């Protein structure tokens, strides 16, 4: 639309998309997730693999964590869709490409991707440029968080039915938000229809991260700070579970990075494993 302000996605969204593509470029099969559509959206320069944050060895744990959580989410969506859930919400969608990569599964759902207006306008423009349709089951929901807009109100206006169960996903977001903001988000989600499922990632405090991963986590923190998006919140698993229960979730459990490593990387011969710095909250209403 002509009046939309188009803004390129932030560095975090771009890096995540490039890491998913790098998994296909440098890691041998079997691939945990196959995603080069994000790379097509970004359309980086030909030397993108020479970026310091694309170093195959130095960033392998982060790359593995990114593809592990993406695969976990996709498996969760497939499982919930088979149970009859028809709504899927992505908070802070960035360059998520599930709808383009898995159209057979995605078309069984109503998908709501929530992000900043400029980013959503940019993504819509790029999808059209690349020849991807934006079907009527895919809703790009612009929410101006900086202006204090309510994501839930915008979601309802976009056609989301709060009376029906949904899968709600928030990955790579909580470290940029205050703990109060995350608690408020949890309360909003806990108020959705019974049998809704939330999957939310969070970063662990340094002392809970494996010694081998601490240097990489510190480097990631420094990079985030330098790019203007500092990490401001870390959680112990017990703290995140307590927040979920206080918000009103019926059930909440911690899915550690080690569980994803065992599930998706156990038989690999190349030693690729997710960093231990990120965990998942899996909660149901």
């Amino acid at each position: 639309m002509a009046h939309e302000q188009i803004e390129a996605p932030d560095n975090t969204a771009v890096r995540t998309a490039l890491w998913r593509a790098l998994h296909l470029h440098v890691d041998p099969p079997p691939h945990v997730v196959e995603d080069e559509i994000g790379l097509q959206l970004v359309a980086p320069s030909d030397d993108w693999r020479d970026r310091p944050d694309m170093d195959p060895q130095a960033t392998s744990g982060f790359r593995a964590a990114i593809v592990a959580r993406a695969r976990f989410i996709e498996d969760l969506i497939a499982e919930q869709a088979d149970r009859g859930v028809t709504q899927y919400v992505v908070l802070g969608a960035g360059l998520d490409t599930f709808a383009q990569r898995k159209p057979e599964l995605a078309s069984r759902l109503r998908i709501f991707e929530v992000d900043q207006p400029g980013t959503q306008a940019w993504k819509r423009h790029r999808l059209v440029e690349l020849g991807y349709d934006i079907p009527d089951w895919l809703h790009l929901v612009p929410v101006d968080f900086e202006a204090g807009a309510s994501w839930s109100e915008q979601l309802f206006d976009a056609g989301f039915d709060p009376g029906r169960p949904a899968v709600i996903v928030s990955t790579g977001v909580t470290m940029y938000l205050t703990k109060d903001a995350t608690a408020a988000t949890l309360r909003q989600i806990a108020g959705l229809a019974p049998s809704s499922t939330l999957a939310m990632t969070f970063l662990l405090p340094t002392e809970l991260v494996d010694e081998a991963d601490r240097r990489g986590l510190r480097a990631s923190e420094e990079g985030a700070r330098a790019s203007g998006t500092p990490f401001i919140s870390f959680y112990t698993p017990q703290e995140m579970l307590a927040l979920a229960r206080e918000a009103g979730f019926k059930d909440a459990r911690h899915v550690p990075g080690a569980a994803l490593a065992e599930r998706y990387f156990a038989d690999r011969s190349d030693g690729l494993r997710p960093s231990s710095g990120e965990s998942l909250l899996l909660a149901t209403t």
Side-chain angles (χ1 to χ4, degrees), residues 62 203-204 206-207 209-226 231 234 275:
F62 296 119
L203 288 185
L204 299 173
T206 304
E207 62 270 18
V209 178
D210 292 350
E211 184 71 40
D213 296 329
R214 291 181 186 178
R215 182 177 177 183
L217 178 60
R218 284 192 291 269
S220 184
E221 278 190 82
E222 290 166 5
R225 191 179 306 111
F231 298 164
F234 299 82
S275 167

Side-chain angles (χ1 to χ4, degrees), residues 2-206:
H3 68 276
E4 287 183 312
Q5 182 177 353
I6 296 178
E7 297 174 4
D10 62 30
N11 291 332
T12 303
V14 169
R15 185 164 51 247
T16 299
L18 295 183
W19 272 339
R20 290 197 300 259
L22 191 65
H23 177 51
L24 286 177
H25 285 236
V26 302
D27 299 322
H31 294 119
V32 179
V33 162
E34 297 186 4
D35 181 9
E36 284 197 295
I37 295 176
L39 176 63
Q40 295 172 28
L41 288 170
V42 174
S45 58
D46 291 341
D47 62 352
W48 68 272
R49 286 179 53 179
D50 296 329
R51 291 171 41 152
D53 58 358
M54 293 296 123
D55 182 284
Q57 294 304 318
T59 65
S60 65
F62 296 119
R63 180 172 73 250
I66 290 297
V67 298
R69 78 187 189 196
R71 175 64 179 275
F72 180 85
I73 296 303
E74 290 184 7
D75 289 350
L76 175 67
I77 296 165
E79 171 192 288
Q80 292 297 309
D82 286 345
R83 292 180 178 175
V85 174
T86 58
Q87 299 187 111
Y88 172 36
V89 179
V90 191
L91 298 179
L95 298 179
D96 189 273
T97 59
F98 169 74
Q100 291 76 44
R101 290 183 296 105
K102 303 283 187 179
E104 186 175 324
L105 173 57
S107 63
R108 295 163 53 191
L109 306 164
R110 299 187 71 198
I111 300 176
F112 301 85
E113 296 187 10
V114 178
D115 214 323
Q116 295 280 5
T119 302
Q120 293 292 58
W122 180 93
K123 186 174 183 180
R124 183 185 298 275
H125 175 74
R126 288 294 294 139
L127 286 172
V128 171
E129 267 193 337
L130 290 169
Y132 290 102
D133 289 332
I134 300 179
D136 56 9
W137 45 261
L138 175 60
H139 307 269
L140 302 183
V141 184
V143 179
D144 192 346
F145 296 102
E146 294 174 4
S150 166
W151 64 265
S152 57
E153 288 179 11
Q154 297 295 99
L155 192 60
F156 301 158
D157 289 345
F160 178 85
D161 184 351
R164 297 176 65 85
V167 175
I168 304 93
V169 166
S170 172
T171 60
V173 175
T174 57
M175 70 279 272
Y176 303 112
L177 304 179
T178 65
K179 294 189 176 183
D180 285 345
T182 293
T185 297
L186 288 170
R187 287 193 296 272
Q188 288 176 292
I189 298 170
L192 296 177
S195 299
S196 293
T197 303
L198 166 68
M200 175 181 277
T201 63
F202 59 95
L203 288 185
L204 299 173
T206 304

Side-chain angles (χ1 to χ4, degrees), residues 242-254:
L243 281 178
R245 290 171 184 137
E246 288 165 11
F249 282 93
K250 185 171 118 179
D251 179 65
R253 65 186 179 96
H254 169 224

